[in-house]
Amino acid sequence: MEAYESSKIYKDQTNKWHDAKVVKKDVSVGDLVLLFKSRVKVFPGQLRSCLSGPFKVTHISAYGAFELWSEDGQSFKVNGQRVRRYYNGDEQGTIEVLYLGEPLPEKESE
C-alpha cells in the first residue's frame, strides 16, 4: 500500500508541475494562426520555414484541440501546442512622435 500511495503522490506532484508550465494561448475563434510543421527536413543550401499558414480558427475544444480552416476550403483539427498566433502587421499600436529640438521656422508663401 505504501508503494501505491507513494506513486499517487508522485503523479499528483508531476501533474501540478506540468499544469504550471502549460501556457494558455491568446487565440480565439476567428483569429488567424500559423501551424508549426514538426517534420521539416533541412537541406543544405535551402531555407525553409517551420511554420505554414495562415489558417483561420473555426472551433476550440475544451481540451485544447483547434479546428482550422484553410484557404482551399478544407477543415482539419490539430493540437493547440502546434499553433502560433499570426500577426499580419495591421495590429500595430499608435506611435507618438516627440521632437526634442527647436521647431523649424515655417516658410511664408508669397
Side-chain angles (χ1 to χ4, degrees), residues 42-57:
V42 178
F43 296 103
Q46 293 182 347
L47 295 177
R48 291 191 175 185
S49 175
C50 60
L51 298 172
S52 64
F55 301 102
K56 187 174 184 178
V57 177

Side-chain angles (χ1 to χ4, degrees), residues 51-82:
L51 298 172
S52 64
F55 301 102
K56 187 174 184 178
V57 177
T58 56
H59 179 71
I60 302 173
S61 72
Y63 298 105
F66 283 64
E67 186 174 346
L68 304 178
W69 180 80
S70 64
E71 298 218 356
D72 59 356
Q74 295 179 346
S75 179
F76 55 96
K77 290 185 180 180
V78 295
N79 189 333
Q81 294 179 347
R82 294 184 58 204

Side-chain angles (χ1 to χ4, degrees), residues 1-51:
M1 289 304 282
E2 287 182 32
Y4 286 117
E5 287 180 27
S6 176
S7 176
K8 172 93 169 108
I9 291 170
Y10 173 76
K11 287 180 182 179
D12 289 341
Q13 290 175 347
T14 305
N15 285 340
K16 285 181 187 177
W17 177 82
H18 177 268
D19 292 344
K21 298 292 182 182
V22 172
V23 178
K24 297 286 184 185
K25 298 282 182 182
D26 60 342
V27 178
S28 59
V29 174
D31 289 347
L32 294 176
V33 295
L34 297 173
L35 182 62
F36 179 75
K37 297 184 289 188
S38 59
R39 297 181 182 172
V40 171
K41 305 234 187 280
V42 178
F43 296 103
Q46 293 182 347
L47 295 177
R48 291 191 175 185
S49 175
C50 60
L51 298 172

